[in-house]
Amino acid sequence: MTVREGETLSVLNQQVGGGWIEAQNSRGQTGLVPVDYLQVCLSTCLSYLSVVMMMVMMMTMLMMMMVMMMLMMMVMKVMMMMKVCSTAGFEDDDGDDDDGEWDDDWDEGSMEGHAPGATGDGEGGMGEVGPVWLYPQSPLDCEVTDPKKGSKMYGLKSYIEYQVIPTSTQRPVNHRYKHFDWLYERLLEKFGSAIAIPGLPDKQVTGRFEEQFIRGRMERLQGWMRRMCRHPVVCQSHVFTLFLTYQDQKEWKLGKRRAERDVAVGQMIFSLMDPEAPEMDSVEKYEQYSRFTKAMDDGVKELLGVGQTHWKRCTGPLPKEYQRIGEAFINLSTVFSSSGYQGESTLTDALTSAGTIYQEVAEIVAEQPKRDLHFLLETNREYKGLLGCFPETLAVHKAAIEKVKDGDKMVAAGRISTQEKTTMKQRLSCMSYSLQAEMNHFHSNRIYDYNRVMQLYLEGQVKFYEEVPL
Amino acid sequence: MTVREGETLSVLNQQVGGGWIEAQNSRGQTGLVPVDYLQVCLSTCLSYLSVVMMMVMMMTMLMMMMVMMMLMMMVMKVMMMMKVCSTAGFEDDDGDDDDGEWDDDWDEGSMEGHAPGATGDGEGGMGEVGPVWLYPQSPLDCEVTDPKKGSKMYGLKSYIEYQVIPTSTQRPVNHRYKHFDWLYERLLEKFGSAIAIPGLPDKQVTGRFEEQFIRGRMERLQGWMRRMCRHPVVCQSHVFTLFLTYQDQKEWKLGKRRAERDVAVGQMIFSLMDPEAPEMDSVEKYEQYSRFTKAMDDGVKELLGVGQTHWKRCTGPLPKEYQRIGEAFINLSTVFSSSGYQGESTLTDALTSAGTIYQEVAEIVAEQPKRDLHFLLETNREYKGLLGCFPETLAVHKAAIEKVKDGDKMVAAGRISTQEKTTMKQRLSCMSYSLQAEMNHFHSNRIYDYNRVMQLYLEGQVKFYEEVPL
């Protein structure tokens, strides 16, 4: 092997003996070189060590940035396509039954017009998945925004008022939390037997004017409102339309009074439905739905439980630990600097930069849950709320099944007429269509929501492991 | 814009109306396209979503592998160079004072020959850093290995015996823990006033035959032995040589008895040193060393504290949480699969693979501390042990300083002679050389050890963040 002056060699074996060292030059040639020709010094090695550390860090970061850019490009493409999909998907649900009509009269005392298909034109259709609600031509959505402190009674009583902006009118209306609560009560009373009406975010008395609380509540109110907007029956109901589009206080108050006097509530809702389809036995479906909603409820609660534990750890003790590790490295670096011993600046620099990196890691770790886990938890909280509605809906259904089962005995015992038995059976069939439409609505939303939340969560996690500057 | 059949377009705006959609083709051209010409289907989108997720994961893993390979290549290079450095570094410490000689006689009762420089040829030298011990021509090292269960008294008493193999003879000798403890007691008694003799790993009565305990103890005994081998005064002492190279039980027992009768112990050690150099005042150095060792002791304990907490979290609750998150995803996937609803296999596949990934992350997280944090903690534990020796050494020194300070008064009071005062001063000067040599030994080892441990720890961490399959 030939060696030139100034050339750097990699030492392969020092133990050759006789004043020779086995080495490799940059062209890959190996051979023996006289020790005296080689200069190996500690400082070069040490600075080389730190250079390697810096290079490793920088390379890692560079790679990360490349991956992130590619990721973002892909995400944008997916978003585009998702947008098309979601619209297409929801239109498809409607199938061919798209000439249904909603009765828009709201005469006091009338029991018609508050539920789908009251005019007999069919409230939904039979898609590939079975019965579905009739979805409106253009989907409704809304924004809850701009929380403002208001006051009443010459400032004695203060409250927070939110702006609610529906996509239908684009005109903001103001509502306080108690109005949302009122709306919830009306929807629950009217549709609760057939439709999952999840509860509002918890009431809270202390700290309810703190910014973080207000933001959190607003976010959840918006989540709740958007879910209600997505429900084809709820979004087309009078009370919901009133809440979103009232023109002035007079209309709001009048509408409120009317809604409170509405008697077409509870199980009455099924009397207003007419699926105009053959009678259907629902026991099997009922049992499938019972099992499914119970199992999903367990699954969601499990995920929420561990997610909340993980949240606490990731925002509390874990970053505190990284912070303390960082501090410990930096402290040790300071101590070492004070040794008075020569030639350890490479070591103290490495310790300081490791310490600084750990403090950055602490921050990234602490902030990360807000970026990905938050949405995963919020979505699962929403679903916990939705799933909490099914036991009631299913119990109503179960009672009707039992009643029909006993129908023949009751007729034989002369306790009901044959006509009454037939009506009971028809009603159960109607309830079965309703239950299936509601479950199919739930499933299609569930698939959409969980696809989205998993996508965002995993993207967030990928970004996290890329951002860690190690 | 021209559109060909089979071409894929990105939708920019669906709301153009009139049956047109604004889109962009792969060449970047944008324009309006009739809706009827476009085919957008849900399943394509959903499978695209999962493909993106898979691609993101695979790309990330690919990048990681590239980085790891580069890293490994670099690390190998560094190791080569470090090897050269470490040897060079330690040889340099010796400076030009390499003709020192050790008295190898060990006559009973003789007070000579058990300490450096007893023959007057100089026990060390003055390097760039000040006084240094005289380092042996070839460094000593040893291996503690192959723990075997032995028994005595017809099997009534059992014990673990380790093989100790010194590089000097390459011949293994057997020792039980209690022999190491005996060696420690001898070294502490003989050199404790001048040299940091760290304690052995803790004794433990319960579970001392469990494999994990035996491995851990062996590793720490080896760490302790190697540190003692690296100390130029200890490694050349008779008792240490006896421990490493005794030929048979007779020699061992005879040597033990001799060592136990050795009277050149404690502060006597300083009488055996003669730095053959000008007298030196040591108050300033003493104070600097006091401050430094105290500060480093605090720093090391801080790092150990947070490191142990971090260890527990990383091997306990954190991976358990990842495991549970993984399980929750997989459970949810199973529940979703049972929905009976069509077209959610993409979602359930994504959930299952996310779940599996989290379970892998759990394992990686749980195993990681053994790969990097372990060595960081072990090294700091060793240094905690070493630093624990300095208060004693420094107190001996402090007492000598005080005594010399009072020297004039004592002479005036007729309590000591002028000759005695001069001897005291000479002795303090000798102690000062010894202290500085010991501190310089400590510093050079400290820089070497912490460079190494930081390098290994950071490499371990880099690998960890690269291995996480997200």
Side-chain angles (χ1 to χ4, degrees):
Chain A
M1 183 179 66
T2 54
V3 178
R4 278 166 299 196
E5 199 181 346
E7 192 173 2
T8 306
L9 302 177
S10 305
V11 175
L12 299 176
N13 185 2
Q14 282 187 83
Q15 318 289 333
V16 179
W20 294 85
I21 273 182
E22 193 184 351
Q24 182 172 38
N25 67 15
S26 54
R27 282 148 289 153
Q29 300 172 315
T30 60
L32 296 180
V33 187
V35 173
D36 302 343
Y37 283 39
L38 296 177
Q39 194 186 7
V40 192
C41 80
L42 193 64
S43 66
T44 316
C45 293
L46 287 178
S47 67
Y48 188 73
L49 166 65
S50 81
V51 167
V52 169
M53 276 164 52
M54 296 290 279
M55 277 175 68
V56 168
M57 286 172 195
M58 284 177 65
M59 272 169 49
T60 316
M61 285 168 80
L62 213 80
M63 294 274 173
M64 296 322 161
M65 282 170 64
M66 280 167 56
V67 175
M68 270 176 70
M69 277 175 60
M70 290 183 188
L71 204 91
M72 278 170 64
M73 281 165 60
M74 284 189 181
V75 169
M76 280 169 65
K77 269 195 191 166
V78 174
M79 298 254 159
M80 294 287 183
M81 299 192 81
M82 289 282 283
K83 211 172 152 189
V84 180
C85 291
S86 66
T87 320
F90 282 117
E91 277 169 5
D92 271 2
D93 279 350
D94 202 338
D96 300 318
D97 291 64
D98 51 359
D99 53 347
E101 219 178 63
W102 289 79
D103 187 353
D104 263 320
D105 298 334
W106 192 2
D107 299 324
E108 223 164 294
S110 158
M111 281 167 65
E112 294 177 338
H114 311 315
T119 52
D121 248 316
E123 77 282 5
M126 298 278 283
E128 277 178 33
V129 294
V132 293
W133 297 120
L134 176 61
Y135 284 80
Q137 292 280 332
S138 54
L140 182 64
D141 199 356
C142 80
E143 202 185 341
V144 178
T145 180
D146 200 17
K148 276 209 181 77
K149 207 166 172 173
S151 66
K152 278 209 308 197
M153 308 203 300
Y154 309 102
L156 273 175
K157 221 179 155 180
S158 32
Y159 53 84
I160 301 295
E161 205 164 45
Y162 304 89
Q163 275 198 3
V164 185
I165 313 170
T167 49
S168 54
T169 59
Q170 294 285 359
R171 198 176 50 77
V173 292
N174 291 329
H175 280 299
R176 293 170 54 183
Y177 179 83
K178 72 168 192 180
H179 300 161
F180 287 95
D181 199 36
W182 176 86
L183 175 64
Y184 164 69
E185 291 293 344
R186 294 289 80 65
L187 295 177
L188 185 67
E189 192 180 39
K190 190 165 182 62
F191 300 118
S193 302
I195 292 167
I197 308 290
L200 286 182
D202 293 338
K203 283 183 189 176
Q204 185 177 334
V205 178
T206 54
R208 83 198 151 91
F209 294 118
E210 278 164 28
E211 205 187 309
Q212 212 191 345
F213 169 74
I214 294 168
R215 293 233 137 256
R217 171 176 271 186
M218 187 178 79
E219 195 191 325
R220 289 187 186 178
L221 284 175
Q222 159 139 334
W224 187 84
M225 280 301 291
R226 296 188 72 176
R227 191 159 295 280
M228 292 297 100
C229 284
R230 268 157 82 177
H231 198 289
V233 177
V234 171
C235 77
Q236 296 180 97
S237 70
H238 282 113
V239 65
F240 197 70
T241 309
L242 170 77
F243 186 87
L244 281 181
T245 60
Y246 74 92
Q247 294 282 344
D248 49 36
Q249 284 303 312
K250 199 185 149 202
E251 190 183 335
W252 170 241
K253 292 211 164 142
L254 199 69
K256 263 182 80 174
R257 244 177 293 142
R258 275 187 182 177
E260 281 159 9
R261 276 203 302 269
D262 187 2
V263 289
V265 297
Q267 296 194 32
M268 207 80 87
I269 202 79
F270 298 114
S271 325
L272 304 172
M273 291 179 194
D274 179 6
E276 290 204 330
E279 261 184 40
M280 177 161 50
D281 191 342
S282 56
V283 178
E284 199 191 319
K285 283 280 174 196
Y286 160 80
E287 278 166 3
Q288 189 188 2
Y289 294 158
S290 289
R291 274 196 309 273
F292 179 81
T293 51
K294 175 74 182 71
M296 181 167 170
D297 193 48
D298 291 346
V300 163
K301 279 176 183 160
E302 183 193 354
L303 190 55
L304 272 176
V306 64
Q308 278 154 356
T309 312
H310 195 56
W311 175 285
K312 277 184 204 147
R313 188 178 317 284
C314 288
T315 53
L318 196 59
K320 245 179 234 152
E321 239 161 70
Y322 285 123
Q323 178 69 29
R324 283 178 57 206
I325 291 175
E327 277 166 24
F329 281 151
I330 291 172
N331 281 354
L332 217 51
S333 172
T334 312
V335 172
F336 284 7
S337 305
S338 76
S339 72
Y341 197 82
Q342 287 172 358
E344 61 179 307
S345 64
T346 313
L347 173 60
T348 54
D349 288 352
L351 275 168
T352 304
S353 79
T356 314
I357 285 172
Y358 268 88
Q359 293 185 327
E360 284 169 37
V361 170
E363 268 178 53
I364 293 175
V365 167
E367 286 303 310
Q368 189 58 25
K370 290 177 205 158
R371 299 196 224 164
D372 51 19
L373 194 56
H374 174 70
F375 186 52
L376 183 68
L377 290 182
E378 282 299 308
T379 303
N380 277 286
R381 260 183 218 122
E382 268 197 83
Y383 270 84
K384 187 183 150 197
L386 279 168
L387 289 161
C389 304
F390 283 100
E392 171 66 18
T393 314
L394 289 165
V396 168
H397 205 83
K398 172 95 175 178
I401 290 174
E402 298 297 327
K403 230 173 164 182
V404 169
K405 249 194 216 163
D406 292 345
D408 286 329
K409 279 189 217 160
M410 306 254 291
V411 172
R415 290 175 58 192
I416 56 168
S417 67
T418 318
Q419 177 57 39
E420 279 174 312
K421 204 203 102 185
T422 309
T423 309
M424 267 163 52
K425 274 193 79 177
Q426 278 166 355
R427 212 177 111 114
L428 177 58
S429 170
C430 177
M431 286 170 80
S432 182
Y433 277 102
S434 162
L435 181 64
Q436 289 184 52
E438 182 59 14
M439 277 308 292
N440 284 331
H441 176 73
F442 178 79
H443 283 317
S444 79
N445 275 281
R446 172 179 60 80
I447 292 171
Y448 175 81
D449 287 339
Y450 275 87
N451 254 324
R452 188 147 166 267
V453 77
M454 286 308 291
Q455 185 196 9
L456 291 175
Y457 182 66
L458 292 180
E459 276 167 26
Q461 286 282 292
V462 169
K463 273 187 201 147
F464 164 69
Y465 283 101
E466 285 162 9
E467 261 183 33
V468 169
L470 267 170
Chain B
M1 181 180 67
T2 54
V3 178
R4 280 168 297 196
E5 199 182 345
E7 192 172 1
T8 306
L9 303 178
S10 304
V11 174
L12 300 175
N13 186 0
Q14 281 188 83
Q15 319 289 332
V16 179
W20 294 85
I21 274 184
E22 194 184 349
Q24 184 173 37
N25 66 15
S26 56
R27 281 147 290 153
Q29 298 172 315
T30 61
L32 296 180
V33 186
V35 172
D36 302 342
Y37 283 38
L38 296 179
Q39 194 187 7
V40 191
C41 80
L42 193 64
S43 66
T44 316
C45 292
L46 288 178
S47 68
Y48 189 73
L49 166 62
S50 82
V51 168
V52 169
M53 276 164 50
M54 297 289 280
M55 278 176 67
V56 168
M57 287 174 196
M58 284 179 64
M59 273 169 48
T60 316
M61 284 170 80
L62 212 81
M63 294 274 173
M64 294 324 162
M65 281 171 64
M66 280 168 56
V67 175
M68 269 177 69
M69 276 176 60
M70 290 187 191
L71 203 93
M72 278 171 64
M73 281 165 60
M74 283 190 183
V75 169
M76 279 170 65
K77 269 194 190 169
V78 174
M79 297 254 160
M80 295 287 182
M81 299 193 81
M82 289 285 285
K83 212 172 154 192
V84 180
C85 288
S86 67
T87 322
F90 281 117
E91 276 170 4
D92 272 1
D93 278 347
D94 203 341
D96 301 317
D97 290 65
D98 52 357
D99 54 347
E101 219 178 63
W102 290 78
D103 185 353
D104 265 322
D105 298 335
W106 193 3
D107 300 326
E108 225 165 291
S110 158
M111 282 165 66
E112 294 175 338
H114 312 312
T119 51
D121 248 317
E123 78 281 7
M126 297 281 281
E128 276 179 34
V129 294
V132 293
W133 297 122
L134 176 61
Y135 285 79
Q137 292 282 330
S138 54
L140 182 63
D141 198 356
C142 78
E143 203 185 338
V144 178
T145 181
D146 199 19
K148 277 208 181 77
K149 207 164 170 174
S151 65
K152 282 210 304 198
M153 308 202 299
Y154 309 101
L156 272 175
K157 220 178 154 182
S158 36
Y159 53 83
I160 302 295
E161 204 163 45
Y162 303 89
Q163 273 198 4
V164 185
I165 313 171
T167 50
S168 53
T169 61
Q170 296 285 359
R171 199 175 50 77
V173 293
N174 291 329
H175 281 298
R176 294 171 53 184
Y177 179 83
K178 73 169 193 180
H179 300 161
F180 287 94
D181 198 37
W182 176 85
L183 176 64
Y184 164 68
E185 291 293 343
R186 294 289 80 63
L187 294 176
L188 183 68
E189 192 181 39
K190 186 162 185 67
F191 300 118
S193 303
I195 292 168
I197 308 290
L200 285 183
D202 293 338
K203 285 182 191 177
Q204 186 179 330
V205 179
T206 55
R208 83 198 151 91
F209 294 118
E210 278 163 29
E211 203 187 313
Q212 212 191 346
F213 169 75
I214 294 169
R215 294 233 138 255
R217 171 175 270 185
M218 188 178 77
E219 196 192 325
R220 289 187 187 178
L221 284 176
Q222 160 137 333
W224 187 84
M225 279 303 289
R226 296 187 71 175
R227 191 159 295 279
M228 291 298 99
C229 284
R230 268 155 82 176
H231 198 290
V233 177
V234 171
C235 76
Q236 296 179 96
S237 69
H238 282 111
V239 64
F240 197 70
T241 309
L242 170 76
F243 186 86
L244 281 182
T245 60
Y246 72 92
Q247 295 281 345
D248 48 37
Q249 284 300 314
K250 196 185 154 201
E251 189 184 336
W252 169 243
K253 290 208 165 145
L254 199 70
K256 263 182 81 174
R257 242 177 291 140
R258 273 187 181 177
E260 280 158 9
R261 276 204 301 271
D262 187 3
V263 289
V265 297
Q267 296 194 35
M268 207 81 86
I269 201 81
F270 299 113
S271 325
L272 304 173
M273 293 179 193
D274 179 5
E276 289 204 331
E279 262 183 39
M280 177 160 52
D281 192 341
S282 57
V283 179
E284 200 191 320
K285 284 280 177 196
Y286 160 78
E287 278 165 3
Q288 190 189 359
Y289 295 158
S290 290
R291 273 196 309 273
F292 178 81
T293 50
K294 175 75 181 69
M296 181 166 170
D297 193 48
D298 291 344
V300 164
K301 280 176 183 161
E302 184 193 352
L303 190 55
L304 271 177
V306 64
Q308 278 154 355
T309 312
H310 195 55
W311 176 284
K312 278 183 203 149
R313 188 179 314 286
C314 289
T315 53
L318 196 58
K320 246 180 233 153
E321 241 161 67
Y322 285 123
Q323 179 68 29
R324 282 179 56 204
I325 291 175
E327 277 166 23
F329 281 152
I330 290 172
N331 282 353
L332 218 50
S333 172
T334 312
V335 172
F336 283 8
S337 304
S338 76
S339 73
Y341 197 82
Q342 287 172 358
E344 59 178 310
S345 65
T346 314
L347 174 58
T348 53
D349 288 353
L351 275 167
T352 305
S353 81
T356 315
I357 285 171
Y358 268 87
Q359 293 185 326
E360 283 170 35
V361 170
E363 267 178 53
I364 294 175
V365 166
E367 286 302 311
Q368 189 57 24
K370 290 176 205 159
R371 299 198 224 164
D372 52 18
L373 194 56
H374 174 71
F375 186 53
L376 183 69
L377 290 181
E378 282 299 307
T379 304
N380 277 285
R381 257 182 219 123
E382 266 198 85
Y383 270 85
K384 186 182 152 197
L386 280 168
L387 288 160
C389 305
F390 283 101
E392 171 66 18
T393 314
L394 289 164
V396 168
H397 205 85
K398 172 92 173 181
I401 291 173
E402 296 298 327
K403 228 172 166 183
V404 168
K405 248 193 214 162
D406 292 344
D408 285 330
K409 278 189 216 161
M410 305 253 291
V411 172
R415 291 176 57 192
I416 56 167
S417 68
T418 317
Q419 178 56 36
E420 280 173 314
K421 204 203 102 186
T422 309
T423 310
M424 264 163 55
K425 275 193 77 179
Q426 278 166 355
R427 210 176 113 115
L428 177 59
S429 170
C430 178
M431 285 170 80
S432 182
Y433 277 101
S434 162
L435 182 63
Q436 288 184 53
E438 182 59 13
M439 277 309 292
N440 286 330
H441 176 72
F442 177 79
H443 283 316
S444 79
N445 275 281
R446 171 179 61 80
I447 293 171
Y448 175 80
D449 287 339
Y450 276 87
N451 255 325
R452 190 149 163 265
V453 77
M454 285 307 291
Q455 185 198 6
L456 291 176
Y457 182 65
L458 293 179
E459 276 168 25
Q461 286 281 293
V462 169
K463 274 187 202 149
F464 164 66
Y465 281 100
E466 285 162 9
E467 261 183 32
V468 169
L470 269 170

